[in-house]
Amino acid sequence: MMDMEEKKMDEDTAAKRQKYSKQQLLEASKYREKRDLLQVLLIKGQRYSFEDAEKLVSEYMKGQVK
C-alpha cells in the first residue's frame, strides 16, 4: 500500500511525463513569466511535457549568455 508521499511522487512524475499542447503550456500559470519565450520556442501542433518545455527554455537561455 502506498503512503501519501509515494502517491504524491507518482503523481508528480506522471504530470512531468504528460504531454501538453503549445496553447495549454502558454495558459499554464507555471509558465506565466516565460509565456513570450515559449510562444516563440514551441511549435504549434506538437506536444510537450513540462520537462521538454523547461529544457527548451534552459537551452535558449544558455545560448543567450555570451
Side-chain angles (χ1 to χ4, degrees):
M1 190 167 175
M2 297 175 104
D3 64 13
M4 292 299 278
E5 188 173 317
E6 287 176 339
K7 185 175 180 181
K8 176 70 174 150
M9 287 183 359
D10 285 345
E11 290 171 358
D12 289 344
T13 301
K16 287 180 182 177
R17 285 190 292 223
Q18 187 171 350
K19 301 282 184 165
Y20 300 94
S21 69
K22 176 179 180 175
Q23 190 62 38
Q24 287 174 309
L25 289 172
L26 292 174
E27 293 173 0
S29 60
K30 177 176 183 166
Y31 295 113
R32 184 178 321 125
E33 301 295 323
K34 300 174 184 169
R35 232 172 242 152
D36 291 338
L37 182 55
L38 288 174
Q39 179 69 36
V40 174
L41 294 176
L42 302 179
I43 299 169
K44 187 175 183 178
Q46 289 193 11
R47 300 183 70 76
Y48 302 89
S49 67
F50 287 145
E51 288 177 349
D52 295 337
E54 291 294 332
K55 184 176 179 182
L56 286 170
V57 169
S58 177
E59 288 175 358
Y60 179 83
M61 297 304 283
K62 286 178 184 174
Q64 293 301 307
V65 179
K66 294 188 180 209

